[in-house]
């Protein structure tokens, strides 16, 4: 080996760098362990301790903050916490840029874009297409009714073409999303979790937010989704609109169906408490449609009435109906109805109704843009509140509004995102200086969050959570334990096998494998990669594949020794391009290509798997080629003997003389039957599409003891809960269920998410003997072992994107490898044979999943993890096929005697030891991962396990026969003739 000293120096240097990089992870983890010991389970104390350490020098002159940035970060599936994908409403941004245009074509285009948006298509592109189709050339984007207005100023004018306007609008939308990103980043920075992560996802309008260790689910969602559109409105008094409410009820009596004549009392203790009476008003059900849902107030205060949360939407529907609004008095014709903030402690499930003094422009007299500062504080009664300061313009307007309210004994509603937080009266005269305060049904945490939101500023448009994942810390620790166990077991099995099969040279490969693992983790730390559960699977898979190059080299060296060459010549040849290097290069290039496709199209944990896999390929190649070569060269130099076998394995996988092409008709028939059977199963059984592909919500719920899954499915499918949109399966053991529902999956509001959680809690709490609370059931507390351990949500648009990406990932990887093989082998027949084998493998695995998903004790869903498994199968199948093809190419270009069929059969037989050796290694490693890797990975690993077995079969019985059958008779005859005329090789 040339430049051996340089290679040794580089290997030692790389090892030291990796140890140095990993040392930051150890130091950081020790500090985090100290924080947990001090906090004793109190998450706030833990975060406070770690935040206090941020600027402290803890290691080699680095502060804890700097050390933490250099550690290997754990993904949420290992750390626990919350991961959400927010989608900034481009629809809202476009409405704002059009100055809230009422043009019919424009608004139809917006609605059409919402409905017809395709997978992987941005909302903006969908809108431009929909606008062209709706306008049919009769309306331009530069029209005064669309984007030529005071909002866009001189940037857009009526002389511009649609293409010109599209570019300007695209820039403005991008700028608005950047603004939203900045606002969210500032909010998250003040939230109080260690090492939050926020990323903008291209130009999609989507923002990924990761909050490791976050536990209060509802609080996080409220923080992220609040647009913080703070507004100050004058309010009507209840007495001002009593007549309107009576008229509205009378009008509704004529249009609403009478449900019956029985008497129904309003049984709501919370409402009774608010009204200060234990008695409730009896009403004939169906005779008073409005007053059955709204209990009116008789005072001169700002609250019109009390409404149950379940009736809130219906009451607003009644009051905003055009025929009902026509009954409003003239001075209230622009009234805006809004609800107050729910007081979950004193009156849970009850909302107060307000009427705000709106106007024709629907613009508040004073907006939140005048706020210059906000802080959490306490009011005069000692209750949590938020103090605000305003700029000069806001202070002047605030003084006018408070002065008017004082004179007229009126009220000013302080509303955010159309929710009234408080509506105080003014009793001390006009308020100068721009100081104000929001008080109400708050706790200390809520005032901190509200002050944080106001300081960060408002979002330019609504933000919806279109995808989310919530993982409890106990589940994350279980995943870590499973990953460590499977990694150690896999490492031991591979090392034992290599030692038994190759003896001393196997020991060299094992040393290289250990060095490879050091390099792999060192690279992960250096690149700032995030370690996920699939990433751990990638590490275990790397352990299995890391020795593949050594196996190819050793098998070639054994062949050279059998041909009578010396050990030095055998080693030199096996490490040459003519020996093993061409096969290793082709095999790993195909693997890298599929890994890159997976990295590009994958997200989250799947990208973590791809990252680990790609790094593992390069570190494995370096250690397999250079580290083992140093050991072998040392033995050659010292004149020591190496046989690449042991007395036990000497005759294993040797002297194969099987006629593979003879049985190709039977393998063709078998594979055709499998493919047809799989297609039939696709039609009859379909595939179990997970929420990644179909959209929906999934909950992993742990109970104290075994629970009846069928009974729970029946209960959750009732109209009162999820309305027949439920699937319930045992997950792992009888005391743990995986519950999937599509209930309100298209409603991305924080309120709908909370409603789903509350309905799930109400239906399942009876199965817990300790009367578990809602917070304990939903939130992810440290050490939690009961309730929701993991929850995921994928919206319909995200599911479409994932499905589209998955199709392109699979087809793209096959196309890329087809092109590479055609260039590398210079014959399309090789590419066709490889693609035929891969297509066969993919259909086989899909068909097996289609047949078995209803019966297997583990989930077999089509999701991102499954696509990662399929791409891994493609990479491995290509790898295996390329090794066989490389030998076929070598023998066809050589002087081997015999017919074309004999030459090809000989090629396959001489690679059988490598094929079986590598496949057995992979099967053993994947089998260990299947057993010890945990329930979450079983479906993922099972796909790869089946794929390895099928991939080995297809490379022998599909790829090579296709290559032979597509080679012309003339070319076959020419090859045979050339071989027969060639002189005999001298060993």
């Amino acid at each position: 080996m040339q430049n051996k000293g340089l290679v040794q120096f580089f290997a030692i240097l790389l090892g030291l760098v990796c140890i140095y990089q990993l040392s930051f992870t150890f130091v950081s983890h020790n500090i985090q362990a100290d924080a947990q010991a001090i906090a004793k389970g109190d998450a706030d104390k833990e975060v406070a301790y770690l935040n206090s350490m941020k600027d402290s020098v803890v290691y080699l002159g680095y502060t804890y903050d700097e050390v933490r940035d250099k550690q290997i970060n754990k993904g949420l599936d290992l750390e626990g916490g919350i991961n959400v994908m927010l989608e900034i409403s481009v629809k809202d941004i476009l409405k704002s840029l059009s100055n809230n245009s009422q043009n019919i074509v424009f608004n139809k285009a917006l609605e059409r874009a919402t409905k017809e948006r395709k997978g992987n298509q941005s909302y903006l592109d969908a809108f431009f297409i929909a606008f062209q189709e709706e306008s049919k050339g009769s309306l331009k984007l530069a029209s005064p009714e669309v984007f030529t207005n005071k909002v866009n100023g001189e940037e857009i004018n009526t002389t511009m073409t649609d293409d010109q306007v599209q570019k300007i609008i695209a820039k403005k939308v991008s700028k608005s999303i950047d603004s939203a990103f900045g606002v969210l980043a500032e909010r998250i920075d003040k939230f109080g979790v260690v090492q939050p992560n926020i990323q903008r996802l291209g130009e999609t309008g989507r923002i990924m937010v990761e909050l490791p260790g976050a536990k209060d689910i509802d609080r996080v969602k409220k923080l992220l989704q609040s647009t913080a559109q703070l507004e100050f409105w004058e309010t009507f008094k209840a007495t001002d609109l009593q007549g309107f409410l009576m008229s509205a009820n009378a009008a509704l009596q004529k249009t609403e169906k009478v449900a019956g004549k029985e008497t129904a009392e309003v049984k709501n203790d919370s409402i009774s408490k608010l009204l200060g009476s234990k008695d409730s008003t009896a009403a004939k059900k169906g005779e008073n449609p409005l007053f059955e849902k709204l209990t009116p107030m008789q005072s001169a205060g700002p609250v019109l009435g009390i409404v149950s949360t379940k009736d809130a939407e219906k009451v607003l529907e009644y009051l905003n109906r055009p025929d009902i609004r026509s009954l409003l008095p003239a001075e209230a014709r622009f009234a805006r109805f809004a609800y107050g903030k729910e007081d979950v402690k004193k009156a849970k499930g009850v909302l107060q109704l307000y009427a705000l003094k709106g106007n024709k422009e629907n613009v508040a007299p004073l907006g939140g843009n005048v706020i210059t500062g906000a802080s959490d504080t306490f009011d005069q009664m000692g209750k949590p509140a938020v103090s605000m300061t305003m700029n000069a313009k806001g202070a002047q307007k605030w003084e006018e509004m408070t002065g008017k309210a004082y004179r007229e004994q009126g009220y000013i509603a302080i509303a955010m995102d159309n929710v009234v937080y408080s509506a105080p009266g003014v009793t001390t005269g006009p308020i100068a200086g721009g100081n104000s305060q929001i008080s109400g049904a708050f706790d200390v945490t809520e005032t901190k969050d509200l002050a944080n939101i106001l300081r960060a500023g408002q979002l330019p448009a609504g933000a919806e959570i279109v995808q989310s994942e919530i993982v409890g810390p106990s589940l994350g620790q279980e995943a870590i334990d499973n990953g460590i166990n499977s990694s150690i077991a896999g490492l031991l099995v591979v090392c034992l096998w290599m030692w038994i099969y190759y003896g001393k040279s196997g020991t060299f490969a094992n040393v290289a494998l250990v060095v490879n693992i050091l390099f792999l983790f060192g690279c992960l730390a250096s690149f700032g990669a995030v370690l996920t559960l699939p990433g751990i699977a990638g590490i275990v898979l790397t352990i299995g594949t890391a020795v593949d190059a050594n196996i190819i080299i050793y098998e070639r060296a054994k062949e050279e020794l059998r041909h009578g060459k010396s050990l030095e010549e055998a080693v030199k040849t096996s490490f040459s391009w003519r020996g093993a290097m061409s096969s290793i290069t082709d095999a790993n290039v195909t693997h890298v290509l599929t890994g890159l496709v997976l990295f590009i199209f994958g997200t989250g944990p799947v990208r973590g798997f791809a990252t680990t896999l790609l790094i593992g390929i390069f570190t494995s190649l370096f250690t397999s080629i250079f580290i083992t070569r140093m050991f072998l060269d040392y033995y050659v130099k010292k004149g020591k003997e190496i046989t690449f076998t042991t007395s036990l394995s000497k005759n294993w996988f040797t002297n194969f003389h099987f006629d593979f092409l003879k049985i190709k008709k039977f393998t063709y028939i078998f594979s055709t039957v499998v493919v047809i059977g799989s297609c039939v199963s696709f039609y009859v059984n379909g595939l179990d599409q997970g929420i990644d592909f179909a959209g929906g919500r999934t909950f992993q719920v742990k109970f104290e003891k075994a629970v009846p899954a069928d009974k729970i499915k029946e209960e959750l499918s009732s109209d009162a809960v999820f309305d027949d949109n439920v699937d319930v399966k045992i997950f792992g053991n009888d005391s743990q269920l995986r519950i999937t529902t599509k209930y309100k999956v298209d409603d991305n509001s924080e309120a709908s998410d909370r409603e789903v959680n509350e309905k799930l809690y109400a239906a399942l709490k009876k199965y817990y003997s300790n009367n578990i609370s809602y917070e304990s059931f939903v939130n992810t507390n440290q050490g939690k072992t009961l309730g929701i351990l993991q929850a995921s949500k994928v919206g319909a648009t995200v599911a479409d994107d994932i499905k589209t990406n998955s199709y392109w990932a699979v087809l793209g990887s096959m196309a890329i490898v087809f092109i590479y093989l055609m260039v590398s082998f210079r014959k399309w027949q090789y590419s066709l044979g490889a693609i035929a084998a891969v297509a066969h493998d993919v259909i086989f695995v899909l068909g097996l999943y289609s047949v078995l998903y209803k019966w297997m004790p583990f989930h077999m869903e089509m999701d991102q993890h499954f696509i990662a498994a399929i791409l891994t199968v493609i990479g491995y199948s290509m790898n295996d096929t390329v090794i066989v093809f490389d030998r076929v190419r070598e023998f066809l270009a050589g002087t081997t005697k015999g017919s074309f069929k004999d030459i090809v059969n000989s090629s396959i037989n001489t690679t059988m030891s490598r094929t079986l050796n590598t496949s057995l290694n992979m099967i053993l490693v994947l089998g260990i991962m299947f057993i010890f890797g945990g329930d979450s990975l079983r479906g993922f690993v099972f796909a790869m396990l089946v794929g390895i077995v099928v991939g080995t079969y297809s490379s022998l019985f599909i790829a090579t026969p296709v290559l032979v059958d597509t080679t012309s008779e003339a070319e076959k005859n020419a090859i045979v003739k050339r071989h027969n005329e060639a002189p005999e090789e001298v060993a």
Side-chain angles (χ1 to χ4, degrees):
M1 181 173 63
Q2 295 179 343
N3 301 318
K4 182 165 56 178
L6 181 63
V7 172
Q8 289 175 342
F9 171 77
F10 182 75
I12 293 171
L13 180 63
L14 183 58
L16 291 174
V17 170
C18 289
I19 291 171
Y20 171 74
Q21 289 290 346
L22 289 172
S23 67
F24 290 97
T25 300
F26 288 112
V27 172
S28 179
H29 282 186
N30 287 335
I31 294 172
Q32 290 168 18
D34 292 342
Q36 290 177 351
I38 292 170
K40 295 179 180 178
D42 188 325
D44 292 332
K45 283 185 179 178
E46 183 182 337
V47 171
Y49 176 81
L50 293 175
N51 285 334
S52 70
M53 294 288 292
K54 277 186 176 182
D55 299 321
S56 302
V57 177
V58 295
Y59 181 63
L60 299 178
Y62 289 99
T63 64
Y64 171 62
D65 216 18
E66 293 168 329
V67 167
R68 191 178 60 192
D69 287 340
K70 293 177 179 290
Q71 71 173 352
I72 296 179
N73 297 314
K74 290 182 289 187
L76 293 189
D77 49 0
L78 299 179
E79 178 80 7
I82 300 170
N83 175 308
V84 300
M85 184 190 290
L86 288 162
E87 184 168 81
I88 305 301
S89 176
V90 177
K91 180 179 180 180
D92 287 353
I93 296 173
L94 292 174
K95 282 184 176 180
S96 177
L97 291 174
S98 74
N99 200 22
N100 292 314
S101 171
Q102 300 301 310
N103 181 273
I104 295 175
V105 171
F106 173 75
N107 284 285
K108 278 186 176 181
L110 290 175
E111 295 304 321
R112 186 168 174 176
T114 302
K115 294 176 182 177
E116 298 181 4
R117 178 181 172 187
K118 299 174 183 177
N120 252 8
Q121 183 184 43
S122 72
Y123 181 89
L124 188 59
D125 288 339
F127 165 75
F128 288 147
I129 293 171
F131 185 84
Q132 289 176 352
E133 293 177 356
E134 285 290 335
S135 65
K136 297 177 182 178
S138 63
L139 184 69
K140 293 172 59 180
L141 290 171
S143 166
E145 296 181 68
V146 189
F147 291 125
T148 297
N149 52 51
K150 62 181 181 181
V151 175
N152 300 308
E154 296 180 359
E155 290 184 76
I156 298 176
N157 60 67
T158 54
T159 63
M160 288 183 170
T161 65
D162 279 357
D163 287 342
Q164 291 174 319
V165 175
Q166 284 179 12
K167 292 176 182 177
I168 295 171
I169 294 299
K171 288 181 181 178
K172 285 181 172 290
V173 168
S174 182
K175 188 176 180 180
S176 293
I177 295 170
D178 283 339
S179 173
F181 181 87
V183 170
L184 287 170
E186 191 169 343
R187 289 185 191 178
I188 290 164
D189 186 53
K190 305 293 184 183
F191 181 67
V193 296
V194 178
Q195 213 163 9
N197 179 37
I198 177 170
Q199 302 174 44
R200 180 175 171 179
L201 303 178
E203 298 299 320
T204 61
R206 292 173 182 165
I207 297 172
M208 183 69 75
V209 178
E210 287 187 341
L211 300 175
K215 298 172 177 65
D216 191 333
I217 310 305
D218 292 331
R219 179 189 173 197
V220 169
K221 290 183 176 180
K222 190 178 295 182
L223 174 82
L224 296 177
Q225 289 188 274
S226 173
T227 56
Q229 291 180 333
L230 186 68
E231 297 172 326
F232 300 85
W233 295 89
E234 296 176 55
T235 72
F236 290 101
K237 299 175 185 177
T239 51
D240 295 337
L241 296 181
Q242 281 181 352
F244 161 72
L245 294 178
M246 295 294 291
S247 300
N249 185 64
L252 289 167
Q253 287 175 344
K254 299 175 183 177
T255 60
E256 299 301 294
K257 294 180 180 179
V258 177
K261 296 294 183 181
E262 68 277 12
T263 301
E265 293 188 355
V266 180
K267 297 178 180 180
N268 193 314
D269 293 336
S270 299
I271 291 179
S272 299
K273 288 177 183 178
L274 281 175
L275 295 175
S277 171
K278 293 182 180 180
D279 299 324
S280 56
T281 305
K284 297 284 186 180
K285 189 172 183 180
E287 291 185 359
N288 292 295
L290 179 61
F291 293 143
E292 283 177 6
K293 295 175 172 57
L294 168 69
T295 303
M297 302 293 283
Q298 305 299 322
S299 67
V303 180
L304 297 187
I306 308 300
V307 181
S308 170
T309 52
K310 66 182 178 63
D311 295 325
E313 189 176 341
K314 192 66 178 177
V315 169
L316 281 185
E317 183 185 323
Y318 283 158
L319 297 180
N320 287 319
R321 264 175 40 180
D323 58 322
I324 301 300
R325 287 192 66 88
S326 67
L327 303 174
L328 285 163
E331 66 275 12
R333 65 184 183 279
F334 297 120
R336 285 182 56 178
F337 297 102
Y339 289 113
K341 181 181 178 295
E342 181 183 4
D343 189 341
V344 294
K345 292 183 178 178
K346 293 184 178 179
K348 187 176 181 180
V350 175
L351 299 174
Q352 296 178 327
L353 180 67
Y354 295 85
L356 311 180
K357 291 186 177 181
N359 48 57
K360 186 176 181 180
E361 293 78 23
N362 199 26
V363 177
L366 188 62
N369 58 328
V370 302
I371 301 298
T372 57
S375 61
D376 55 296
T377 184
F378 294 91
D379 62 16
Q380 294 178 342
M381 304 297 292
K383 296 180 179 179
V386 176
S387 292
M388 299 177 293
T389 55
M390 303 177 183
N391 60 23
K393 183 179 179 181
Q396 181 181 354
K397 185 63 179 178
W398 182 240
E399 187 172 0
E400 291 176 12
M401 291 182 68
T402 53
K404 182 180 179 183
Y406 172 71
R407 291 190 302 273
E408 298 178 358
Q409 295 185 335
Y411 299 87
I412 297 176
I414 304 174
M416 189 164 69
D417 299 337
N418 210 37
V419 174
V420 177
Y421 278 74
S422 62
V426 181
T427 57
T428 57
I431 300 174
N435 296 316
S436 58
Q437 190 178 80
I438 306 176
S439 58
F442 294 119
D443 57 29
V444 175
T445 300
E446 287 177 314
T447 55
K448 286 182 182 294
D449 285 347
L450 182 55
N452 172 16
I453 288 171
L454 292 175
R455 284 195 300 269
Q458 69 182 45
L459 291 174
E464 296 183 335
I465 294 179
V466 293
Q467 183 178 2
S468 65
E469 184 172 13
I470 300 155
V471 182
S474 58
L475 198 62
Q477 187 58 50
E478 181 184 342
I480 292 173
D481 294 341
N482 290 334
I484 291 173
N485 291 337
S486 58
S487 299
I488 293 174
L491 178 63
L492 291 175
V493 166
V494 170
C495 288
L496 181 62
W497 175 260
M498 292 298 289
W499 177 72
I500 290 173
Y501 195 83
Y502 291 110
K504 280 185 182 179
S505 55
T507 304
F508 300 158
N510 290 339
V511 173
L513 177 58
V514 173
V515 174
N516 172 46
I517 294 172
L518 172 64
F519 287 175
L520 174 58
F521 277 101
C523 290
L524 287 173
S526 300
F527 298 154
V530 177
L531 188 61
T532 62
L533 185 56
I536 290 179
I539 292 170
V540 179
L541 196 61
T542 298
I543 292 171
T545 57
V547 294
D548 183 51
N550 283 131
I551 291 172
I552 297 172
I553 292 167
Y554 290 172
E555 291 302 320
R556 186 65 184 223
K558 285 161 66 175
E559 288 180 16
E560 298 301 322
L561 289 173
R562 282 196 290 266
H563 290 158
K565 291 186 178 180
S566 66
L567 177 61
E568 182 179 2
E569 291 174 326
V571 170
K572 187 176 181 180
T573 301
S574 63
F575 279 93
S576 69
W577 186 260
R578 189 178 69 83
M581 288 303 105
S582 62
S583 298
I584 291 172
T585 301
D586 285 333
N588 281 281
V589 167
T590 56
H591 221 160
V592 167
L593 289 173
T594 53
L596 285 173
V597 170
L598 185 58
F599 181 83
I600 293 167
F601 288 97
T603 59
V606 174
R607 181 167 285 187
F609 171 76
T611 302
T612 306
L613 201 62
L614 287 169
I615 294 174
I617 290 170
F618 290 106
T619 57
S620 297
L621 282 174
F622 178 82
T623 55
S624 299
I625 294 171
F626 294 108
I627 302 297
T628 53
R629 179 70 184 271
M630 286 192 295
F631 283 112
L632 290 171
D633 282 350
Y634 175 80
Y635 264 65
V636 168
K637 184 178 180 181
K638 293 294 182 181
K640 296 182 178 181
E641 188 68 24
I642 298 178
T643 60
F644 300 100
T645 60
T646 64
S647 57
L648 184 64
S649 65
K650 187 175 182 180
N651 296 317
W652 290 359
F653 308 144
T654 58
N655 298 318
F656 280 98
H657 300 288
F658 187 76
D659 191 344
F660 289 91
L661 297 179
K662 183 178 181 180
I663 63 168
K664 67 178 182 179
K665 290 183 179 179
F666 299 101
T667 57
Y668 279 167
I669 292 171
F670 171 74
S671 294
T672 302
V673 170
V674 168
V675 169
I676 293 173
S678 297
C679 293
V680 171
S681 184
F682 297 155
Y683 180 77
V684 176
N685 294 326
L687 290 163
D688 186 14
Q689 294 193 43
I691 64 171
D692 281 357
F693 279 16
R697 306 171 191 264
T698 295
F699 301 90
Q700 185 176 329
V701 184
K702 181 72 174 176
F703 297 86
E704 297 164 318
K705 55 186 179 181
V707 290
D710 291 341
K711 184 178 179 183
I712 288 178
K713 178 177 181 179
E714 184 180 345
E715 291 173 356
L716 293 178
S717 299
S718 67
D719 293 342
V721 189
F722 295 141
D723 193 23
D724 200 29
N725 289 309
V726 185
D727 183 44
V728 178
K729 294 178 180 176
I730 293 172
F731 189 74
N733 58 66
D734 292 345
S735 64
Q736 188 166 258
L737 297 180
R738 187 182 179 92
I739 299 169
T740 303
T741 177
K742 290 187 178 181
Y743 182 76
K744 287 199 171 182
V745 69
D746 293 327
D747 185 346
N748 294 313
S749 67
E750 182 268 332
S752 69
D753 290 344
R754 184 179 177 88
E755 178 192 343
V756 172
N757 286 341
E758 288 177 341
K759 284 193 170 188
L760 188 65
Y761 166 70
L764 298 181
K765 64 180 179 180
K766 64 184 177 184
Y767 291 98
Y768 295 89
S769 61
N770 60 351
N771 195 24
I772 190 171
S773 67
Y774 171 78
E775 287 73 20
S776 298
F777 179 77
V778 172
N779 292 336
T780 57
N781 302 314
Q782 191 73 34
K784 177 178 178 178
T785 56
L786 297 175
I788 298 176
L789 301 184
Q790 184 173 11
S792 302
K793 171 193 170 184
V794 179
T797 55
V798 175
D800 285 343
D801 290 354
I802 291 172
K803 190 183 294 186
T804 302
N805 281 340
S806 298
Y807 290 149
W808 282 115
V810 174
L811 295 175
S813 63
M814 293 172 69
I816 290 170
V817 174
F818 179 90
I819 294 170
Y820 172 78
L821 292 179
M822 192 161 62
V823 172
S824 178
F825 285 84
R826 295 180 177 84
K827 286 186 180 293
W828 62 267
Q829 289 91 340
Y830 287 97
S831 295
L832 182 62
I835 291 300
V838 167
H840 165 273
D841 299 343
V842 171
I843 294 173
F844 193 106
V845 175
L846 286 170
L848 197 65
Y849 267 57
S850 176
V851 172
L852 297 180
Y853 77 85
K854 295 179 181 178
W855 315 106
M856 281 293 191
F858 51 89
H859 74 282
M860 301 176 73
E861 296 178 349
M862 300 298 105
D863 56 15
Q864 291 190 82
H865 291 173
F866 179 79
I867 296 301
I870 287 294
L871 288 175
T872 306
V873 168
I874 289 174
Y876 179 82
S877 181
M878 288 289 187
N879 185 314
D880 212 20
T881 301
V882 163
I883 297 298
V884 176
F885 278 1
D886 193 75
R887 182 56 59 91
V888 170
R889 176 176 59 179
E890 180 186 345
F891 275 29
L892 291 179
T895 58
T896 304
K897 304 297 182 182
S899 67
F900 187 86
K901 176 183 170 184
D902 293 335
I903 297 170
V904 172
N905 270 322
S906 179
S907 304
I908 302 172
N909 280 299
T910 54
T911 59
M912 282 299 291
S913 57
R914 179 269 168 192
T915 300
L916 295 177
N917 211 340
T918 304
S919 296
L920 284 174
N921 258 316
M922 292 291 294
I923 290 168
L924 285 172
V925 168
L926 289 171
I928 288 168
M929 201 191 309
F930 183 79
I931 295 169
F932 297 109
D935 299 320
S936 299
L937 281 179
R938 285 213 169 89
F940 170 58
V941 173
F942 184 73
M944 287 194 288
L945 196 56
V946 172
I948 297 302
V949 175
V950 177
T952 304
Y953 160 83
S954 66
S955 64
L956 300 174
F957 296 103
I958 300 296
T960 310
V962 168
L963 167 65
V964 171
D965 290 343
T966 53
T967 301
S968 66
E969 287 299 322
E971 187 174 354
K972 291 177 184 178
N973 293 333
I975 291 171
V976 171
K977 181 181 179 181
R978 187 178 73 247
H979 282 214
N980 291 335
E981 292 175 352
E984 292 286 343
E985 288 187 351
V986 179

